[in-house]
Amino acid sequence: MHTRDRAAAITDVRNLFSEQFTGQPQGVWSAPGRVNLIGEHVDYAGGICLPFALSQRTYVAARANNDGVYRIASHWSGGITRAEIPTQDVRPGHPADWTGYIAGAVWAAWNNGTMPAAWANGITNPGLDIAIESDVPVGAGLSSSAALECSTALAAWEISTGSTLAEQSQVAQKKVLDGLRAASIQAENDVVGASTGGLDQTVALFGKAGNALAIDFATNAEQQVTFDIDSRGLAILIINTNAPHQLADGQYAARRAVTDGVAADLGVPTLRQAPDAVRRCQPWADKQWNSWSAEQQQDMPLERWRAVVEARVRHVETEIDRTARAIEVLRAGEFRQFGELMQASHASLRDDYEVTVPELDTAVEVALRHGALGARMTGGGFGGSAIALVDASQAETVAAHIASSFADAGFARPEFVIAIPSEGARREE
């Protein structure tokens, strides 16, 4: 996976801006991709997650215009992609393509009051000219969408207010970041239509170098957890399987519909608040059996459907417990136990939640076979990336074995990078 140094990325995005829009931007902002160590598919169930922000970032150069239009230029696949969206056209369900992450985040931050109605410098019909350069690979399960949303949202806030986040008090910074997080989540869920729970946007905004971020979605609390693996001679190896990663195709939403539906049937906001949900989920499964079969155009026997619902709920319950335990053992420096919990997480995602694909399973199996302490898929699944906790001196060897196994299986060539915990969204200059 390609990663530029900070200076090169800033130069590249500034050059793109001046080529596409003439003149200079008002600044350059960035936000990171993320990797989730453990706690998958539980953020929308009120669960606990443990991600960290990557050094791979999305860079945005931006300037306000007085034309009421979002003009976007992105360096993508060796070429330049352009788009123009009138600000008044942004709404739930539109634009539903990649530009919705950008325009939707600004629209939502404006609507929720995080950004002022009257922009700084006399802008009365605010639009934005935006140039984008990114080292977060699209489709790798490393949350390129949240990096795009959060970098754009921060840029829009600073331009609209005429101030910088760094100038604010800690209390004010937290309030702004909370508002930008809510706006970015709304852009993904309501504008683009990808049913995500907030993990990605939270770590993209609140991540810190050298730390993982423990996020409790039942209390909306975040806590930094030291992730000092260098001193232990360990590393996190990211394996981008290059299997296509799709979250907006209904698979993610179908699983969330089960967890949300069971919680509602049990009279609680999320499954986290429903003790013994596995034992108590059958009535909802029975009520939903016929409608689910009709929607999916799939004739599934009732007993099989009950087992599917139980498995989905079981994953959520056990993954929340695993993540709480993983935070404890990480704080105690018990990395071998942490690796075992990673393995159990992958097995649950594979067998109960059924979101892995052969490429992900192969990457995990081969990494473990060649000495990894732990390995698991990361992100939404259905393609994307896996991670492995490895001896740093053996990272290249593990990667070579995985690449060889992929070639033998006829899979696409994987890509590898060592993940380094980094900072959340920030102004670059």
Side-chain angles (χ1 to χ4, degrees), residues 48-50 214 225 322-332 338:
I48 309 168
C49 307
L50 189 66
V225 178
R322 272 188 296 272
T323 305
R325 176 62 179 153
I327 293 168
E328 292 177 1
V329 301
L330 188 59
R331 285 177 169 147
F338 187 83

Side-chain angles (χ1 to χ4, degrees), residues 201-224:
Q201 295 82 4
T202 299
V203 71
L205 290 166
F206 292 95
K208 295 293 181 185
N211 289 272
L213 185 67
I215 310 169
D216 189 325
F217 285 90
T219 61
N220 291 320
E222 307 97 31
Q223 190 170 17
Q224 302 292 336

Side-chain angles (χ1 to χ4, degrees), residues 120-146:
N121 302 320
I123 301 294
T124 58
N125 187 23
L128 290 168
D129 297 332
I130 303 168
I132 302 160
E133 292 271 359
S134 184
D135 291 330
V136 185
V138 175
L142 302 177
S143 198
S144 58
S145 58

Side-chain angles (χ1 to χ4, degrees), residues 76-145:
W76 167 250
S77 295
I80 307 299
T81 300
R82 288 285 305 252
E84 291 194 7
I85 304 106
T87 58
Q88 70 267 22
D89 287 355
V90 183
R91 58 186 183 276
H94 182 80
D97 59 10
W98 66 277
T99 62
Y101 299 122
I102 302 163
V106 181
W107 167 80
W110 199 353
N111 279 355
N112 73 14
T114 302
M115 291 195 315
W119 282 30
N121 302 320
I123 301 294
T124 58
N125 187 23
L128 290 168
D129 297 332
I130 303 168
I132 302 160
E133 292 271 359
S134 184
D135 291 330
V136 185
V138 175
L142 302 177
S143 198
S144 58
S145 58

Side-chain angles (χ1 to χ4, degrees), residues 3-26:
T3 305
R4 288 165 285 198
D5 64 37
R6 177 175 176 268
I10 292 171
T11 298
D12 288 346
V13 77
R14 276 190 165 274
N15 288 342
L16 178 62
F17 187 95
S18 61
E19 291 166 4
Q20 297 296 315
F21 302 116
T22 308
Q24 295 300 313
Q26 290 175 253

Side-chain angles (χ1 to χ4, degrees), residues 11-343:
T11 298
D12 288 346
V13 77
R14 276 190 165 274
N15 288 342
L16 178 62
F17 187 95
S18 61
E19 291 166 4
Q20 297 296 315
F21 302 116
T22 308
Q24 295 300 313
Q26 290 175 253
V28 175
W29 295 262
S30 75
R34 67 93 190 92
V35 65
N36 193 25
L37 289 168
I38 194 167
E40 216 69 74
H41 281 283
V42 297
D43 50 348
Y44 50 82
I48 309 168
C49 307
L50 189 66
F52 65 79
L54 295 172
S55 55
Q56 289 75 24
R57 306 180 73 85
T58 292
Y59 292 81
V60 166
R63 181 182 66 201
N65 65 53
N66 219 342
D67 305 324
V69 176
Y70 300 122
R71 299 188 184 96
I72 303 166
S74 177
H75 200 174
W76 167 250
S77 295
I80 307 299
T81 300
R82 288 285 305 252
E84 291 194 7
I85 304 106
T87 58
Q88 70 267 22
D89 287 355
V90 183
R91 58 186 183 276
H94 182 80
D97 59 10
W98 66 277
T99 62
Y101 299 122
I102 302 163
V106 181
W107 167 80
W110 199 353
N111 279 355
N112 73 14
T114 302
M115 291 195 315
W119 282 30
N121 302 320
I123 301 294
T124 58
N125 187 23
L128 290 168
D129 297 332
I130 303 168
I132 302 160
E133 292 271 359
S134 184
D135 291 330
V136 185
V138 175
L142 302 177
S143 198
S144 58
S145 58
L148 192 54
E149 293 154 3
C150 295
S151 56
T152 304
L154 180 58
W157 183 84
E158 292 201 349
I159 289 171
S160 70
T161 60
S163 61
T164 68
L165 191 65
E167 294 170 344
Q168 313 303 310
S169 69
Q170 286 190 341
V171 172
Q173 285 184 27
K174 179 65 164 61
K175 182 178 180 180
V176 171
L177 291 175
D178 282 342
L180 298 182
R181 169 172 52 184
S184 298
I185 294 169
Q186 187 178 9
E188 192 140 341
N189 286 351
D190 296 345
V191 178
V192 179
S195 183
T196 57
L199 179 157
D200 302 340
Q201 295 82 4
T202 299
V203 71
L205 290 166
F206 292 95
K208 295 293 181 185
N211 289 272
L213 185 67
I215 310 169
D216 189 325
F217 285 90
T219 61
N220 291 320
E222 307 97 31
Q223 190 170 17
Q224 302 292 336
V225 178
T226 301
F227 193 55
D228 183 21
I229 56 176
D230 287 350
S231 66
R232 302 297 187 100
L234 299 173
I236 290 290
L237 177 68
I238 298 180
I239 308 111
N240 177 7
T241 67
N242 280 314
H245 175 78
Q246 298 288 337
L247 290 187
D249 64 355
Q251 293 286 357
Y252 192 120
R255 280 149 182 79
R256 181 167 181 176
V258 171
T259 59
D260 289 351
V262 170
D265 194 58
L266 295 175
V268 292
T270 69
L271 278 183
R272 179 88 174 276
Q273 285 79 39
D276 298 323
V278 173
R279 181 178 58 82
R280 300 165 61 203
C281 67
Q282 183 177 315
W284 181 87
D286 290 353
K287 286 183 284 189
Q288 293 296 315
W289 174 46
N290 287 328
S291 60
W292 184 91
S293 297
E295 289 171 7
Q296 301 295 317
Q297 297 182 336
Q298 182 177 348
D299 186 15
M300 182 182 289
L302 177 58
E303 288 304 317
R304 170 61 184 150
W305 168 240
R306 287 172 174 169
V308 166
V309 172
E310 288 179 5
R312 303 289 190 259
V313 175
R314 180 168 56 245
H315 166 74
V316 171
E317 285 192 343
T318 59
E319 186 77 348
I320 292 171
D321 289 344
R322 272 188 296 272
T323 305
R325 176 62 179 153
I327 293 168
E328 292 177 1
V329 301
L330 188 59
R331 285 177 169 147
E334 300 290 346
F335 284 95
R336 188 164 295 280
Q337 291 183 45
F338 187 83
E340 291 170 354
L341 290 163
M342 291 174 67
Q343 296 174 48

